[in-house]
PDB file of all heavy atoms in Angstrom:
ATOM      1  N   ASP J   1     -74.886  13.494  43.439  1.00 96.00           N
ATOM      2  CA  ASP J   1     -73.739  12.749  42.916  1.00 96.00           C
ATOM      3  C   ASP J   1     -72.982  13.556  41.872  1.00 96.00           C
ATOM      4  O   ASP J   1     -71.791  13.316  41.631  1.00 96.00           O
ATOM      5  CB  ASP J   1     -74.197  11.427  42.296  1.00 96.00           C
ATOM      6  CG  ASP J   1     -74.503  10.365  43.344  1.00 96.00           C
ATOM      7  OD1 ASP J   1     -74.178  10.594  44.524  1.00 96.00           O
ATOM      8  OD2 ASP J   1     -75.078   9.321  42.972  1.00 96.00           O
ATOM      9  N   GLN J   2     -73.665  14.523  41.250  1.00 97.00           N
ATOM     10  CA  GLN J   2     -73.036  15.377  40.253  1.00 97.00           C
ATOM     11  C   GLN J   2     -72.432  16.650  40.859  1.00 97.00           C
ATOM     12  O   GLN J   2     -71.968  17.527  40.146  1.00 97.00           O
ATOM     13  CB  GLN J   2     -74.057  15.762  39.172  1.00 97.00           C
ATOM     14  CG  GLN J   2     -74.641  14.599  38.422  1.00 97.00           C
ATOM     15  CD  GLN J   2     -73.589  13.746  37.736  1.00 97.00           C
ATOM     16  OE1 GLN J   2     -72.650  14.292  37.135  1.00 97.00           O
ATOM     17  NE2 GLN J   2     -73.741  12.431  37.817  1.00 97.00           N
ATOM     18  N   GLY J   3     -72.461  16.721  42.186  1.00 97.00           N
ATOM     19  CA  GLY J   3     -71.869  17.868  42.861  1.00 97.00           C
ATOM     20  C   GLY J   3     -72.748  19.095  42.914  1.00 97.00           C
ATOM     21  O   GLY J   3     -72.285  20.186  43.277  1.00 97.00           O
ATOM     22  N   VAL J   4     -74.024  18.931  42.563  1.00 97.00           N
ATOM     23  CA  VAL J   4     -74.973  20.046  42.610  1.00 97.00           C
ATOM     24  C   VAL J   4     -75.650  20.054  43.970  1.00 97.00           C
ATOM     25  O   VAL J   4     -76.195  19.040  44.402  1.00 97.00           O
ATOM     26  CB  VAL J   4     -76.027  19.926  41.486  1.00 97.00           C
ATOM     27  CG1 VAL J   4     -77.029  21.080  41.574  1.00 97.00           C
ATOM     28  CG2 VAL J   4     -75.346  19.915  40.121  1.00 97.00           C
ATOM     29  N   LYS J   5     -75.624  21.182  44.640  1.00 96.00           N
ATOM     30  CA  LYS J   5     -76.181  21.285  45.983  1.00 96.00           C
ATOM     31  C   LYS J   5     -77.655  21.643  45.921  1.00 96.00           C
ATOM     32  O   LYS J   5     -78.045  22.608  45.264  1.00 96.00           O
ATOM     33  CB  LYS J   5     -75.426  22.345  46.790  1.00 96.00           C
ATOM     34  CG  LYS J   5     -75.841  22.423  48.246  1.00 96.00           C
ATOM     35  CD  LYS J   5     -74.993  23.427  49.005  1.00 96.00           C
ATOM     36  CE  LYS J   5     -75.407  23.489  50.468  1.00 96.00           C
ATOM     37  NZ  LYS J   5     -74.581  24.486  51.221  1.00 96.00           N
ATOM     38  N   LEU J   6     -78.472  20.853  46.618  1.00 97.00           N
ATOM     39  CA  LEU J   6     -79.899  21.146  46.747  1.00 97.00           C
ATOM     40  C   LEU J   6     -80.229  21.324  48.224  1.00 97.00           C
ATOM     41  O   LEU J   6     -79.805  20.517  49.053  1.00 97.00           O
ATOM     42  CB  LEU J   6     -80.761  20.013  46.174  1.00 97.00           C
ATOM     43  CG  LEU J   6     -81.016  19.986  44.681  1.00 97.00           C
ATOM     44  CD1 LEU J   6     -82.016  18.879  44.348  1.00 97.00           C
ATOM     45  CD2 LEU J   6     -81.541  21.297  44.169  1.00 97.00           C
ATOM     46  N   PRO J   7     -80.988  22.348  48.579  1.00 97.00           N
ATOM     47  CA  PRO J   7     -81.344  22.547  49.993  1.00 97.00           C
ATOM     48  C   PRO J   7     -82.379  21.527  50.452  1.00 97.00           C
ATOM     49  O   PRO J   7     -83.284  21.166  49.707  1.00 97.00           O
ATOM     50  CB  PRO J   7     -81.916  23.967  50.011  1.00 97.00           C
ATOM     51  CG  PRO J   7     -82.463  24.169  48.634  1.00 97.00           C
ATOM     52  CD  PRO J   7     -81.542  23.416  47.713  1.00 97.00           C
ATOM     53  N   THR J   8     -82.223  21.043  51.672  1.00 97.00           N
ATOM     54  CA  THR J   8     -83.210  20.154  52.293  1.00 97.00           C
ATOM     55  C   THR J   8     -83.236  20.444  53.788  1.00 97.00           C
ATOM     56  O   THR J   8     -82.255  20.909  54.364  1.00 97.00           O
ATOM     57  CB  THR J   8     -82.858  18.665  52.100  1.00 97.00           C
ATOM     58  OG1 THR J   8     -81.563  18.401  52.646  1.00 97.00           O
ATOM     59  CG2 THR J   8     -82.874  18.272  50.633  1.00 97.00           C
ATOM     60  N   LEU J   9     -84.375  20.147  54.408  1.00 97.00           N
ATOM     61  CA  LEU J   9     -84.485  20.210  55.864  1.00 97.00           C
ATOM     62  C   LEU J   9     -85.009  18.902  56.442  1.00 97.00           C
ATOM     63  O   LEU J   9     -84.510  18.413  57.445  1.00 97.00           O
ATOM     64  CB  LEU J   9     -85.393  21.370  56.290  1.00 97.00           C
ATOM     65  CG  LEU J   9     -84.755  22.757  56.303  1.00 97.00           C
ATOM     66  CD1 LEU J   9     -85.792  23.830  56.599  1.00 97.00           C
ATOM     67  CD2 LEU J   9     -83.624  22.829  57.327  1.00 97.00           C
ATOM     68  N   CYS J  10     -86.027  18.326  55.801  1.00 97.00           N
ATOM     69  CA  CYS J  10     -86.586  17.080  56.340  1.00 97.00           C
ATOM     70  C   CYS J  10     -85.746  15.878  55.949  1.00 97.00           C
ATOM     71  O   CYS J  10     -85.737  14.869  56.655  1.00 97.00           O
ATOM     72  CB  CYS J  10     -88.033  16.892  55.891  1.00 97.00           C
ATOM     73  SG  CYS J  10     -88.260  16.619  54.119  1.00 97.00           S
ATOM     74  N   HIS J  11     -85.015  15.958  54.837  1.00 96.00           N
ATOM     75  CA  HIS J  11     -84.247  14.815  54.352  1.00 96.00           C
ATOM     76  C   HIS J  11     -82.941  14.667  55.118  1.00 96.00           C
ATOM     77  O   HIS J  11     -82.288  15.655  55.468  1.00 96.00           O
ATOM     78  CB  HIS J  11     -83.924  14.973  52.866  1.00 96.00           C
ATOM     79  CG  HIS J  11     -83.128  13.840  52.310  1.00 96.00           C
ATOM     80  ND1 HIS J  11     -83.707  12.651  51.918  1.00 96.00           N
ATOM     81  CD2 HIS J  11     -81.794  13.689  52.109  1.00 96.00           C
ATOM     82  CE1 HIS J  11     -82.771  11.829  51.489  1.00 96.00           C
ATOM     83  NE2 HIS J  11     -81.603  12.432  51.604  1.00 96.00           N
ATOM     84  N   LEU J  12     -82.566  13.417  55.378  1.00 95.00           N
ATOM     85  CA  LEU J  12     -81.274  13.112  55.987  1.00 95.00           C
ATOM     86  C   LEU J  12     -80.876  11.715  55.544  1.00 95.00           C
ATOM     87  O   LEU J  12     -81.649  10.762  55.700  1.00 95.00           O
ATOM     88  CB  LEU J  12     -81.368  13.177  57.518  1.00 95.00           C
ATOM     89  CG  LEU J  12     -80.058  13.381  58.292  1.00 95.00           C
ATOM     90  CD1 LEU J  12     -79.361  14.679  57.886  1.00 95.00           C
ATOM     91  CD2 LEU J  12     -80.313  13.377  59.787  1.00 95.00           C
ATOM     92  N   ASP J  13     -79.675  11.587  54.972  1.00 92.00           N
ATOM     93  CA  ASP J  13     -79.205  10.280  54.526  1.00 92.00           C
ATOM     94  C   ASP J  13     -79.204   9.299  55.692  1.00 92.00           C
ATOM     95  O   ASP J  13     -78.679   9.601  56.770  1.00 92.00           O
ATOM     96  CB  ASP J  13     -77.787  10.397  53.951  1.00 92.00           C
ATOM     97  CG  ASP J  13     -77.766  11.111  52.613  1.00 92.00           C
ATOM     98  OD1 ASP J  13     -78.822  11.187  51.966  1.00 92.00           O
ATOM     99  OD2 ASP J  13     -76.689  11.602  52.220  1.00 92.00           O
ATOM    100  N   GLY J  14     -79.771   8.131  55.470  1.00 92.00           N
ATOM    101  CA  GLY J  14     -79.859   7.123  56.511  1.00 92.00           C
ATOM    102  C   GLY J  14     -81.247   6.989  57.090  1.00 92.00           C
ATOM    103  O   GLY J  14     -81.532   6.036  57.805  1.00 92.00           O
ATOM    104  N   LEU J  15     -82.128   7.960  56.787  1.00 96.00           N
ATOM    105  CA  LEU J  15     -83.517   7.906  57.238  1.00 96.00           C
ATOM    106  C   LEU J  15     -84.434   7.763  56.033  1.00 96.00           C
ATOM    107  O   LEU J  15     -84.060   8.086  54.903  1.00 96.00           O
ATOM    108  CB  LEU J  15     -83.882   9.176  58.007  1.00 96.00           C
ATOM    109  CG  LEU J  15     -83.105   9.477  59.287  1.00 96.00           C
ATOM    110  CD1 LEU J  15     -83.628  10.767  59.912  1.00 96.00           C
ATOM    111  CD2 LEU J  15     -83.184   8.328  60.273  1.00 96.00           C
ATOM    112  N   SER J  16     -85.648   7.303  56.266  1.00 96.00           N
ATOM    113  CA  SER J  16     -86.628   7.197  55.188  1.00 96.00           C
ATOM    114  C   SER J  16     -86.945   8.581  54.642  1.00 96.00           C
ATOM    115  O   SER J  16     -86.774   9.597  55.319  1.00 96.00           O
ATOM    116  CB  SER J  16     -87.904   6.529  55.693  1.00 96.00           C
ATOM    117  OG  SER J  16     -88.485   7.294  56.735  1.00 96.00           O
ATOM    118  N   THR J  17     -87.406   8.610  53.412  1.00 96.00           N
ATOM    119  CA  THR J  17     -87.714   9.869  52.752  1.00 96.00           C
ATOM    120  C   THR J  17     -89.123  10.322  53.093  1.00 96.00           C
ATOM    121  O   THR J  17     -90.059   9.528  53.085  1.00 96.00           O
ATOM    122  CB  THR J  17     -87.579   9.710  51.227  1.00 96.00           C
ATOM    123  OG1 THR J  17     -86.233   9.326  50.923  1.00 96.00           O
ATOM    124  CG2 THR J  17     -87.896  11.009  50.523  1.00 96.00           C
ATOM    125  N   ARG J  18     -89.273  11.629  53.390  1.00 94.00           N
ATOM    126  CA  ARG J  18     -90.588  12.153  53.763  1.00 94.00           C
ATOM    127  C   ARG J  18     -91.133  13.133  52.733  1.00 94.00           C
ATOM    128  O   ARG J  18     -92.315  13.167  52.454  1.00 94.00           O
ATOM    129  CB  ARG J  18     -90.515  12.831  55.128  1.00 94.00           C
ATOM    130  CG  ARG J  18     -91.844  13.445  55.561  1.00 94.00           C
ATOM    131  CD  ARG J  18     -91.848  13.832  57.011  1.00 94.00           C
ATOM    132  NE  ARG J  18     -93.139  14.424  57.365  1.00 94.00           N
ATOM    133  CZ  ARG J  18     -93.380  15.722  57.428  1.00 94.00           C
ATOM    134  NH1 ARG J  18     -92.408  16.586  57.180  1.00 94.00           N
ATOM    135  NH2 ARG J  18     -94.564  16.177  57.738  1.00 94.00           N
ATOM    136  N   GLY J  19     -90.300  13.986  52.176  1.00 95.00           N
ATOM    137  CA  GLY J  19     -90.755  14.969  51.189  1.00 95.00           C
ATOM    138  C   GLY J  19     -91.622  16.052  51.783  1.00 95.00           C
ATOM    139  O   GLY J  19     -92.531  16.548  51.122  1.00 95.00           O
ATOM    140  N   GLY J  20     -91.358  16.427  53.030  1.00 94.00           N
ATOM    141  CA  GLY J  20     -92.212  17.385  53.720  1.00 94.00           C
ATOM    142  C   GLY J  20     -91.819  18.835  53.572  1.00 94.00           C
ATOM    143  O   GLY J  20     -92.676  19.703  53.464  1.00 94.00           O
ATOM    144  N   CYS J  21     -90.523  19.131  53.562  1.00 96.00           N
ATOM    145  CA  CYS J  21     -90.104  20.546  53.573  1.00 96.00           C
ATOM    146  C   CYS J  21     -90.245  21.204  52.204  1.00 96.00           C
ATOM    147  O   CYS J  21     -90.355  22.430  52.120  1.00 96.00           O
ATOM    148  CB  CYS J  21     -88.676  20.669  54.089  1.00 96.00           C
ATOM    149  SG  CYS J  21     -87.385  20.085  52.952  1.00 96.00           S
ATOM    150  N   ARG J  22     -90.174  20.434  51.140  1.00 96.00           N
ATOM    151  CA  ARG J  22     -90.339  20.887  49.746  1.00 96.00           C
ATOM    152  C   ARG J  22     -89.238  21.833  49.281  1.00 96.00           C
ATOM    153  O   ARG J  22     -89.366  22.484  48.238  1.00 96.00           O
ATOM    154  CB  ARG J  22     -91.699  21.577  49.524  1.00 96.00           C
ATOM    155  CG  ARG J  22     -92.879  20.896  50.135  1.00 96.00           C
ATOM    156  CD  ARG J  22     -93.002  19.453  49.734  1.00 96.00           C
ATOM    157  NE  ARG J  22     -93.740  19.246  48.500  1.00 96.00           N
ATOM    158  CZ  ARG J  22     -94.096  18.055  48.028  1.00 96.00           C
ATOM    159  NH1 ARG J  22     -93.739  16.969  48.711  1.00 96.00           N
ATOM    160  NH2 ARG J  22     -94.766  17.922  46.912  1.00 96.00           N
ATOM    161  N   LEU J  23     -88.143  21.919  49.987  1.00 98.00           N
ATOM    162  CA  LEU J  23     -87.066  22.818  49.572  1.00 98.00           C
ATOM    163  C   LEU J  23     -86.247  22.262  48.413  1.00 98.00           C
ATOM    164  O   LEU J  23     -85.524  23.010  47.754  1.00 98.00           O
ATOM    165  CB  LEU J  23     -86.147  23.113  50.762  1.00 98.00           C
ATOM    166  CG  LEU J  23     -86.732  24.049  51.811  1.00 98.00           C
ATOM    167  CD1 LEU J  23     -85.848  24.083  53.049  1.00 98.00           C
ATOM    168  CD2 LEU J  23     -86.888  25.457  51.247  1.00 98.00           C
ATOM    169  N   CYS J  24     -86.342  20.963  48.164  1.00 98.00           N
ATOM    170  CA  CYS J  24     -85.577  20.369  47.066  1.00 98.00           C
ATOM    171  C   CYS J  24     -86.388  20.342  45.765  1.00 98.00           C
ATOM    172  O   CYS J  24     -86.100  19.538  44.872  1.00 98.00           O
ATOM    173  CB  CYS J  24     -85.105  18.969  47.436  1.00 98.00           C
ATOM    174  SG  CYS J  24     -86.436  17.762  47.695  1.00 98.00           S
ATOM    175  N   LEU J  25     -87.384  21.210  45.665  1.00 98.00           N
ATOM    176  CA  LEU J  25     -88.186  21.282  44.440  1.00 98.00           C
ATOM    177  C   LEU J  25     -87.305  21.532  43.212  1.00 98.00           C
ATOM    178  O   LEU J  25     -86.388  22.351  43.245  1.00 98.00           O
ATOM    179  CB  LEU J  25     -89.217  22.407  44.546  1.00 98.00           C
ATOM    180  CG  LEU J  25     -90.394  22.200  45.510  1.00 98.00           C
ATOM    181  CD1 LEU J  25     -91.210  23.479  45.610  1.00 98.00           C
ATOM    182  CD2 LEU J  25     -91.263  21.042  45.073  1.00 98.00           C
ATOM    183  N   VAL J  26     -87.600  20.811  42.132  1.00 98.00           N
ATOM    184  CA  VAL J  26     -86.888  20.998  40.867  1.00 98.00           C
ATOM    185  C   VAL J  26     -87.896  21.049  39.726  1.00 98.00           C
ATOM    186  O   VAL J  26     -89.041  20.624  39.868  1.00 98.00           O
ATOM    187  CB  VAL J  26     -85.868  19.858  40.614  1.00 98.00           C
ATOM    188  CG1 VAL J  26     -84.742  19.898  41.637  1.00 98.00           C
ATOM    189  CG2 VAL J  26     -86.555  18.498  40.616  1.00 98.00           C
ATOM    190  N   GLU J  27     -87.435  21.554  38.610  1.00 98.00           N
ATOM    191  CA  GLU J  27     -88.269  21.650  37.407  1.00 98.00           C
ATOM    192  C   GLU J  27     -87.938  20.467  36.508  1.00 98.00           C
ATOM    193  O   GLU J  27     -86.773  20.220  36.200  1.00 98.00           O
ATOM    194  CB  GLU J  27     -87.975  22.975  36.693  1.00 98.00           C
ATOM    195  CG  GLU J  27     -89.051  23.445  35.748  1.00 98.00           C
ATOM    196  CD  GLU J  27     -88.775  24.857  35.244  1.00 98.00           C
ATOM    197  OE1 GLU J  27     -87.897  25.011  34.363  1.00 98.00           O
ATOM    198  OE2 GLU J  27     -89.410  25.801  35.753  1.00 98.00           O
ATOM    199  N   ILE J  28     -88.959  19.727  36.102  1.00 98.00           N
ATOM    200  CA  ILE J  28     -88.766  18.551  35.264  1.00 98.00           C
ATOM    201  C   ILE J  28     -89.529  18.728  33.965  1.00 98.00           C
ATOM    202  O   ILE J  28     -90.718  19.086  33.967  1.00 98.00           O
ATOM    203  CB  ILE J  28     -89.243  17.278  35.991  1.00 98.00           C
ATOM    204  CG1 ILE J  28     -88.410  17.056  37.261  1.00 98.00           C
ATOM    205  CG2 ILE J  28     -89.158  16.059  35.072  1.00 98.00           C
ATOM    206  CD1 ILE J  28     -88.846  15.873  38.087  1.00 98.00           C
ATOM    207  N   GLY J  29     -88.855  18.500  32.869  1.00 97.00           N
ATOM    208  CA  GLY J  29     -89.476  18.652  31.567  1.00 97.00           C
ATOM    209  C   GLY J  29     -90.726  17.808  31.421  1.00 97.00           C
ATOM    210  O   GLY J  29     -90.703  16.615  31.714  1.00 97.00           O
ATOM    211  N   GLY J  30     -91.810  18.425  30.974  1.00 95.00           N
ATOM    212  CA  GLY J  30     -93.069  17.728  30.798  1.00 95.00           C
ATOM    213  C   GLY J  30     -93.986  17.770  32.001  1.00 95.00           C
ATOM    214  O   GLY J  30     -95.154  17.396  31.904  1.00 95.00           O
ATOM    215  N   SER J  31     -93.484  18.200  33.145  1.00 96.00           N
ATOM    216  CA  SER J  31     -94.317  18.288  34.354  1.00 96.00           C
ATOM    217  C   SER J  31     -94.849  19.711  34.507  1.00 96.00           C
ATOM    218  O   SER J  31     -94.078  20.683  34.412  1.00 96.00           O
ATOM    219  CB  SER J  31     -93.517  17.915  35.598  1.00 96.00           C
ATOM    220  OG  SER J  31     -94.280  18.143  36.771  1.00 96.00           O
ATOM    221  N   PRO J  32     -96.148  19.880  34.758  1.00 94.00           N
ATOM    222  CA  PRO J  32     -96.717  21.222  34.901  1.00 94.00           C
ATOM    223  C   PRO J  32     -96.388  21.879  36.236  1.00 94.00           C
ATOM    224  O   PRO J  32     -96.695  23.054  36.450  1.00 94.00           O
ATOM    225  CB  PRO J  32     -98.224  20.978  34.778  1.00 94.00           C
ATOM    226  CG  PRO J  32     -98.403  19.577  35.299  1.00 94.00           C
ATOM    227  CD  PRO J  32     -97.179  18.831  34.880  1.00 94.00           C
ATOM    228  N   ARG J  33     -95.789  21.144  37.156  1.00 96.00           N
ATOM    229  CA  ARG J  33     -95.489  21.693  38.475  1.00 96.00           C
ATOM    230  C   ARG J  33     -94.101  21.266  38.930  1.00 96.00           C
ATOM    231  O   ARG J  33     -93.527  20.304  38.405  1.00 96.00           O
ATOM    232  CB  ARG J  33     -96.529  21.235  39.493  1.00 96.00           C
ATOM    233  CG  ARG J  33     -96.691  19.737  39.598  1.00 96.00           C
ATOM    234  CD  ARG J  33     -97.938  19.354  40.366  1.00 96.00           C
ATOM    235  NE  ARG J  33     -98.158  17.909  40.388  1.00 96.00           N
ATOM    236  CZ  ARG J  33     -97.690  17.072  41.293  1.00 96.00           C
ATOM    237  NH1 ARG J  33     -96.955  17.549  42.284  1.00 96.00           N
ATOM    238  NH2 ARG J  33     -97.954  15.782  41.243  1.00 96.00           N
ATOM    239  N   LEU J  34     -93.570  21.986  39.892  1.00 97.00           N
ATOM    240  CA  LEU J  34     -92.289  21.631  40.479  1.00 97.00           C
ATOM    241  C   LEU J  34     -92.459  20.376  41.334  1.00 97.00           C
ATOM    242  O   LEU J  34     -93.488  20.187  41.978  1.00 97.00           O
ATOM    243  CB  LEU J  34     -91.754  22.779  41.329  1.00 97.00           C
ATOM    244  CG  LEU J  34     -91.536  24.123  40.615  1.00 97.00           C
ATOM    245  CD1 LEU J  34     -91.035  25.170  41.608  1.00 97.00           C
ATOM    246  CD2 LEU J  34     -90.556  23.967  39.471  1.00 97.00           C
ATOM    247  N   LEU J  35     -91.443  19.512  41.347  1.00 97.00           N
ATOM    248  CA  LEU J  35     -91.513  18.256  42.089  1.00 97.00           C
ATOM    249  C   LEU J  35     -90.358  18.156  43.071  1.00 97.00           C
ATOM    250  O   LEU J  35     -89.253  18.619  42.783  1.00 97.00           O
ATOM    251  CB  LEU J  35     -91.468  17.067  41.125  1.00 97.00           C
ATOM    252  CG  LEU J  35     -92.638  16.930  40.139  1.00 97.00           C
ATOM    253  CD1 LEU J  35     -92.374  15.780  39.176  1.00 97.00           C
ATOM    254  CD2 LEU J  35     -93.943  16.708  40.880  1.00 97.00           C
ATOM    255  N   PRO J  36     -90.594  17.531  44.243  1.00 98.00           N
ATOM    256  CA  PRO J  36     -89.506  17.347  45.203  1.00 98.00           C
ATOM    257  C   PRO J  36     -88.532  16.278  44.713  1.00 98.00           C
ATOM    258  O   PRO J  36     -88.944  15.161  44.385  1.00 98.00           O
ATOM    259  CB  PRO J  36     -90.233  16.906  46.476  1.00 98.00           C
ATOM    260  CG  PRO J  36     -91.509  16.294  45.985  1.00 98.00           C
ATOM    261  CD  PRO J  36     -91.894  17.044  44.747  1.00 98.00           C
ATOM    262  N   ALA J  37     -87.272  16.609  44.676  1.00 98.00           N
ATOM    263  CA  ALA J  37     -86.270  15.684  44.150  1.00 98.00           C
ATOM    264  C   ALA J  37     -86.103  14.454  45.027  1.00 98.00           C
ATOM    265  O   ALA J  37     -85.760  13.380  44.535  1.00 98.00           O
ATOM    266  CB  ALA J  37     -84.932  16.407  43.998  1.00 98.00           C
ATOM    267  N   CYS J  38     -86.364  14.584  46.337  1.00 98.00           N
ATOM    268  CA  CYS J  38     -86.121  13.464  47.249  1.00 98.00           C
ATOM    269  C   CYS J  38     -87.104  12.318  47.051  1.00 98.00           C
ATOM    270  O   CYS J  38     -86.770  11.161  47.299  1.00 98.00           O
ATOM    271  CB  CYS J  38     -86.143  13.942  48.698  1.00 98.00           C
ATOM    272  SG  CYS J  38     -87.745  14.586  49.251  1.00 98.00           S
ATOM    273  N   THR J  39     -88.310  12.606  46.594  1.00 97.00           N
ATOM    274  CA  THR J  39     -89.326  11.563  46.420  1.00 97.00           C
ATOM    275  C   THR J  39     -89.592  11.245  44.953  1.00 97.00           C
ATOM    276  O   THR J  39     -90.527  10.510  44.641  1.00 97.00           O
ATOM    277  CB  THR J  39     -90.655  11.969  47.087  1.00 97.00           C
ATOM    278  OG1 THR J  39     -91.115  13.198  46.526  1.00 97.00           O
ATOM    279  CG2 THR J  39     -90.480  12.137  48.591  1.00 97.00           C
ATOM    280  N   THR J  40     -88.800  11.806  44.061  1.00 97.00           N
ATOM    281  CA  THR J  40     -88.965  11.574  42.628  1.00 97.00           C
ATOM    282  C   THR J  40     -87.840  10.678  42.125  1.00 97.00           C
ATOM    283  O   THR J  40     -86.666  10.953  42.375  1.00 97.00           O
ATOM    284  CB  THR J  40     -88.944  12.907  41.852  1.00 97.00           C
ATOM    285  OG1 THR J  40     -89.976  13.766  42.344  1.00 97.00           O
ATOM    286  CG2 THR J  40     -89.154  12.674  40.365  1.00 97.00           C
ATOM    287  N   GLU J  41     -88.198   9.606  41.470  1.00 97.00           N
ATOM    288  CA  GLU J  41     -87.178   8.673  40.959  1.00 97.00           C
ATOM    289  C   GLU J  41     -86.559   9.209  39.683  1.00 97.00           C
ATOM    290  O   GLU J  41     -87.241   9.737  38.804  1.00 97.00           O
ATOM    291  CB  GLU J  41     -87.804   7.303  40.693  1.00 97.00           C
ATOM    292  CG  GLU J  41     -86.795   6.255  40.250  1.00 97.00           C
ATOM    293  CD  GLU J  41     -87.413   4.888  40.051  1.00 97.00           C
ATOM    294  OE1 GLU J  41     -88.545   4.675  40.546  1.00 97.00           O
ATOM    295  OE2 GLU J  41     -86.776   4.035  39.392  1.00 97.00           O
TER     296      GLU J  41
END
């Protein structure tokens, strides 16, 4: 929504979220590991 492009392969708008390809990994403050943006609220 902020115009930032994130790569995905398993995700597609209109389908349930799977979080399988892991290409949308992002760094979140306080987390010791990268997390998939599609399955993270």
Side-chain angles (χ1 to χ4, degrees):
D1 282 350
Q2 300 302 317
V4 179
K5 186 176 181 180
L6 277 186
T8 58
L9 280 174
C10 67
H11 179 82
L12 201 59
D13 289 341
L15 298 181
S16 61
T17 300
R18 178 167 179 262
C21 72
R22 316 306 273 187
L23 287 170
C24 64
L25 289 173
V26 294
E27 201 172 76
I28 298 177
S31 174
R33 56 193 176 90
L34 301 179
L35 296 175
C38 64
T39 58
T40 302
E41 184 177 344

